Amino acid sequence: MWENTRLVVFTAICASLYAAVLIPFKVLPIIPGVAELRPANAVPVICSFLFGPAAAWGAAIGNLIGEFFGGMGPGDVFGCTANFLYGMAPYKIWELIGGAEPPTPKTLSAWARFAFTLFLSSALCALVVGWGLNLLGFVPFAVLGNLVLFNNFVSSMLFAPLLLAVIYPRVARGRLLYHHLLPARPTKSRAVRFSGLALLTCAVVGGMIAGNLLASGYWTPSLLVAMGWETQSRAAEVGLGLVPFLLLAITGLALL
Amino acid sequence: MALFLYLDHRTFVHRRHPLVKVAALLLFFVSAFVMEHPLFILPLSASVAALILWTKSTPTLQRIRVLFLFIAIFPVLIWSVFYRNGTPFPTLPFLPITQEGALYGLGMAAKLGTFLATGALFLSTTRIEEFAYAFTLLGLPYRISFTLTLAFRLVPLFLESAVTVVQAQRCRGLDINSGPLFQRLRHYVLVLIPVFMGALRRADQMSIALEVRGFNSGRPRSSFQRAPWTGADTLAVIAVLAVTALYLSLWSAGYGRIRSL
C-alpha cells in the first residue's frame, strides 16, 4: 500500500478528515463529558469501504492527531491500535459477506450484513481499547468497552449509510476505490475466509462478555487465583484474561 | 482558529533535540504510571507544572482546562465503585465505597492529570515536524512520517472547508445544530458530503503533485530538518533518567502502592 502515492495521500486524507470532522460539529451528548454521538466516529468506517487499508492507517493517525489536540497519554498506543483495527475490519468483512454489492444497503439482507459488519468492527475496536486501558488500570473495561461499542456502532449506523449512498458511487466512478488502486492480492479460499469470520465473531463477542465479567468481578480465571495475581483494579484479570480472545480476533482478521 | 497547541517561544525546553523531548515524554509517563498513591504522584505533577510555567505554556492548559475538570471527577467516581475490597467509610457504611477505592481514584485522577499536563507541555514545545523527525531518527519509515506530517497539515484545511460549508448553509437559513435529533443528523450529512468530496478532489491533485516531485522515485530521502545534539541535551536526558530511576526504585521497594488501611 505504501508504494502507491495515491493511497499514501488517501491515508493522510482519512486521518485529517477524522480529526477535522470532530471539531466543527456539535456533539449529541449521551452522558455529558463522557460519551457522545459524533459524526467523526463514522469516518473510519466510511473511509474503510472506500480506501481499504489506507483507512486503517488513516484512522490510527487521525486518532493520534485527536490526542494531539486534546491531550496525550500511555493509553494512546491502545487507542491507535484499536482505531487501526476499526478502519481495517469493515472492508475485509464486507468483501466476504457483501459479495460484489457496494456497501450502500438497499435490501433487508444487505442491511443485516451491513449492520453485522459495523457491529463486529465497533466491538473489535471496543475490545482492544477497553482491554488496554483496563490493563493500564485507567478505566474499567465494563465502563469504557461498552461505551466505545455503543458510540462507534450507533454513530456509524446513523451516518455511514447516508454518506456512503452519496460518496461511494462517485468514488467508484472516479476509479479511486482501493481495489482500483491496489494490485489484486492472492485470495484465500472462501472456506478459510469464512473460518476467519467465525473466529473473529466468536473472539470479539466472547471477549466483550468476558471483559465485562472480568472487570466487574463476576469471573476470575482460576490460574490467576492460584498464582496470587488478583488485583483490586482488575488490571491483571482483564489484562491476562482477554489475551486469548484478542489473539483469536487478530488471527480471524488475518484469515479474512 | 489556533488548532494545535504549539507555542513559539525560545525557552531551554523548546530548544532541546526532538529525541530528548520524546524520551522525556515517555520517561515522565513511566514515572507517573508506576505509582498509585496520589502523594507520590504529586511531586511529579509539581515538576511538570514548574516546567509549564518556565516554558510559558500556561495558555495551553487554559485551552484544555475542561479536560482537567473531567479527569478530576470521573476516575474518583468510577474507581470508588469498581474498587470493591477495602475499608468502608465509617460515616457512610451504607455506600459500596471504600477508603482504598477513593484513594485509588484520587491517585488515578492525579496520574491522568499528570499525563495530560506532560502531554500539553510536550505539544506546547514541540512542532509536528520535530515530532516526525524524531520518529524518523528512531527508524520510522519515511512514508509513514510524511503521511503523519501531511495529515497534520491538512486538518486546518478541511476544518476551514467544513466551517465554510456550515456558514454557507447558515446563510441559506439552515442551522445545523437546531431541530429534533434526526433532522440534525440529516443536516450533518448535508455538510459532510461537500467536505468529503472536496477532500477527494484535493487528494487527486496532491498525489499528482507528489509524483511530479519524485515522491515515488525510490531514491534515499534527505531532510531539511536538522537538529544538532548539544551538551544541554545530554544534561536534560540525564536529569529525566534520574527522576525515572528514582520512581522505579521507589516502586520496586514497594512505595507508592495502595494497601489496605
Side-chain angles (χ1 to χ4, degrees):
Chain A
M1 187 209 93
W2 291 102
E3 296 304 314
N4 188 312
T5 309
R6 269 207 175 129
L7 281 175
V8 170
V9 174
F10 280 140
T11 305
I13 295 272
C14 295
S16 39
L17 270 175
Y18 190 17
V21 171
L22 272 170
I23 302 157
F25 301 102
K26 281 191 183 165
V27 295
L28 311 169
I30 305 162
I31 307 167
V34 179
E36 56 232 355
L37 282 179
R38 298 179 300 194
N41 290 26
V43 171
V45 171
I46 297 165
C47 290
S48 177
F49 288 123
L50 300 172
F51 310 125
W57 288 98
I61 295 172
N63 178 265
L64 187 70
I65 297 175
E67 302 301 340
F68 263 67
F69 184 66
M72 299 164 76
D76 298 344
V77 176
F78 298 103
C80 283
T81 311
N83 274 282
F84 177 83
L85 296 171
Y86 186 45
M88 178 67 86
Y91 89 93
K92 284 200 155 212
I93 299 171
W94 188 258
E95 265 184 0
L96 182 64
I97 63 171
E101 284 180 56
T104 49
K106 289 184 181 77
T107 63
L108 193 63
S109 146
W111 271 106
R113 281 176 286 147
F114 189 76
F116 175 74
T117 304
L118 297 195
F119 173 79
L120 215 52
S121 312
S122 305
L124 180 61
C125 176
L127 182 65
V128 174
V129 80
W131 166 73
L133 293 200
N134 203 150
L135 174 69
L136 296 177
F138 293 171
V139 191
F141 182 96
V143 175
L144 193 67
N146 297 329
L147 272 179
V148 172
L149 170 61
F150 176 80
N151 209 346
N152 283 0
F153 180 61
V154 175
S155 301
S156 53
M157 272 306 285
L158 285 173
F159 292 103
L162 294 170
L163 286 165
L164 280 169
V166 179
I167 296 167
Y168 190 89
R170 286 170 168 80
V171 177
R173 265 203 304 277
R175 300 194 60 77
L176 291 173
L177 293 172
Y178 67 94
H179 48 78
H180 293 138
L181 301 175
L182 281 174
R185 57 191 172 124
T187 48
K188 301 176 190 88
S189 74
R190 277 182 78 78
V192 170
R193 293 169 75 201
F194 269 110
S195 335
L197 183 63
L199 200 59
L200 179 66
T201 310
C202 294
V204 166
V205 175
M208 286 304 292
I209 295 168
N212 277 292
L213 292 174
L214 286 163
S216 49
Y218 289 109
W219 176 43
T220 306
S222 46
L223 181 72
L224 291 181
V225 180
M227 297 186 86
W229 283 359
E230 290 171 273
T231 51
Q232 297 297 335
S233 63
R234 315 288 296 169
E237 289 83 344
V238 173
L240 292 171
L242 290 186
V243 167
F245 294 97
L246 288 162
L247 290 177
L248 286 178
I250 302 295
T251 311
L253 191 61
L255 289 177
L256 273 173
Chain B
M1 180 181 183
L3 186 60
F4 297 111
L5 305 176
Y6 180 73
L7 298 166
D8 194 11
H9 299 300
R10 297 299 297 163
T11 67
F12 177 81
V13 178
H14 280 82
R15 283 184 274 117
R16 294 294 48 86
H17 193 281
L19 274 179
V20 174
K21 291 191 240 182
V22 171
L25 174 79
L26 298 179
L27 290 171
F28 263 78
F29 281 169
V30 170
S31 307
F33 178 71
V34 294
M35 293 290 141
E36 287 178 354
H37 201 293
L39 285 180
F40 283 83
I41 299 170
L42 282 179
L44 205 60
S45 317
S47 321
V48 175
L51 283 171
I52 285 175
L53 286 175
W54 186 28
T55 55
K56 302 171 193 163
S57 305
T58 40
T60 301
L61 290 196
Q62 282 281 327
R63 285 179 61 185
I64 56 171
R65 62 187 181 277
V66 181
L67 288 174
F68 280 104
L69 186 69
F70 289 134
I71 279 176
I73 296 168
F74 283 107
V76 181
L77 288 179
I78 289 171
W79 284 111
S80 296
V81 175
F82 276 85
Y83 198 100
R84 293 187 169 197
N85 299 337
T87 321
F89 281 98
T91 48
L92 304 164
F94 49 90
L95 286 179
I97 300 172
T98 61
Q99 294 179 40
E100 289 85 351
L103 198 60
Y104 185 84
L106 273 175
M108 191 52 67
K111 195 186 280 191
L112 294 178
T114 307
F115 288 153
L116 188 61
T118 312
L121 171 67
F122 176 78
L123 299 176
S124 305
T125 55
T126 314
R127 287 194 306 271
I128 304 305
E129 290 79 5
E130 288 181 290
F131 180 74
Y133 177 63
F135 277 95
T136 310
L137 290 180
L138 290 171
L140 187 78
Y142 166 74
R143 281 163 190 273
I144 300 183
S145 63
F146 170 80
T147 310
L148 186 71
T149 319
L150 179 63
F152 271 107
R153 290 289 157 227
L154 286 174
V155 175
L157 212 66
F158 292 151
L159 182 61
E160 195 186 328
S161 124
V163 171
T164 307
V165 176
V166 169
Q167 283 170 347
Q169 299 282 27
R170 203 164 279 159
C171 288
R172 295 185 180 100
L174 177 75
D175 183 5
I176 64 159
N177 292 318
S178 66
L181 179 68
F182 279 97
Q183 198 178 337
R184 265 184 290 167
L185 294 179
R186 232 188 78 226
H187 292 167
Y188 285 140
V189 173
L190 291 177
V191 175
L192 285 172
I193 289 166
V195 175
F196 257 90
M197 296 316 294
L200 293 180
R201 245 194 312 276
R202 248 186 252 270
D204 210 29
Q205 293 161 357
M206 216 177 293
S207 49
I208 294 168
L210 280 171
E211 288 282 358
V212 167
R213 284 165 176 78
F215 180 75
N216 225 356
S217 65
R219 298 175 69 182
R221 313 295 312 187
S222 56
S223 173
F224 176 72
Q225 189 85 28
R226 296 250 190 273
W229 185 277
T230 63
D233 292 317
T234 311
L235 282 178
V237 169
I238 290 170
V240 180
L241 275 174
V243 171
T244 311
L246 173 70
Y247 268 84
L248 286 177
S249 45
L250 283 172
W251 170 72
S252 66
Y255 290 102
R257 297 179 195 175
I258 310 272
R259 292 194 177 85
S260 292
L261 300 170

